[in-house]
Amino acid sequence: DEEAEEPISLAEVAFVNRKPMSPSVSLNQIAPTTRDSLLVELVTPSLDADGDFVDYEYEWFKNDEAVTQISGSIVPTDLTKKGDQWRVRVTPNDGYEKGEPAEATVEVINSSPKLSLSITSTLARSADDITVSAFVSDADEDEMVVTFRWLLDGTEVQKRSVPTTNLVTDVLTFD
């Protein structure tokens, strides 16, 4: 009596991963100033044909130089400066392979200076001196000139321009 041998079957399964698609990205500011942080926005997130979760790697460049201290999607305001050209490269990764990166670029523009005024009296009599103080600040640290124009019944009676970096005072004296 001979025993029949059963055929042995072997099957090979090959796992093939497909790269995630390139995302579409932009930066949250069209014309950022020194006071603005930069934030990557995923206009169209990456899709993965295998259904894998897609994570993103961020590489930042300032004036074409890599900025290695930033690894996330935000550049804080303390790193932005007027005239800087910022570029971000966003690379999708499904845990197995990286997809094609997408990039967005923006230039940091001039910030408007801030001005606050204080005046000694809004009800001055004709013989009273009137003093006005101006505090100005500029995030770009530009040189500024404050111009004081004093009007009496719509007619200019005194004008003075003063270069300043922060606080300047002017006095209108009636003789």
Side-chain angles (χ1 to χ4, degrees), residues 112-132:
S112 299
K114 301 277 186 195
L115 171 70
S116 61
L117 297 172
S118 67
I119 192 164
T120 54
S121 174
T122 56
L123 299 172
R125 295 181 303 257
S126 60
D128 293 341
D129 290 347
I130 302 172
T131 302
V132 64

Side-chain angles (χ1 to χ4, degrees), residues 56-75:
Y56 299 95
E57 297 172 12
Y58 300 91
E59 295 173 272
W60 288 95
F61 302 87
K62 180 171 83 170
N63 303 323
D64 290 326
E65 297 288 326
V67 181
T68 57
Q69 74 253 37
I70 305 170
S71 60
S73 62
I74 299 174
V75 174

Side-chain angles (χ1 to χ4, degrees), residues 133-145:
S133 296
F135 179 77
V136 292
S137 63
D138 185 80
D140 302 312
E141 299 178 2
D142 293 332
E143 290 185 26
M144 296 174 287
V145 174

Side-chain angles (χ1 to χ4, degrees), residues 35 82 110-116 134-148 160-168:
R35 293 186 185 99
K82 175 180 76 172
N110 187 51
S111 299
S112 299
K114 301 277 186 195
L115 171 70
S116 61
F135 179 77
V136 292
S137 63
D138 185 80
D140 302 312
E141 299 178 2
D142 293 332
E143 290 185 26
M144 296 174 287
V145 174
V146 174
T147 300
F148 295 95
R160 184 170 76 103
S161 295
V162 182
T164 185
T165 54
N166 52 28
L167 181 64
V168 64

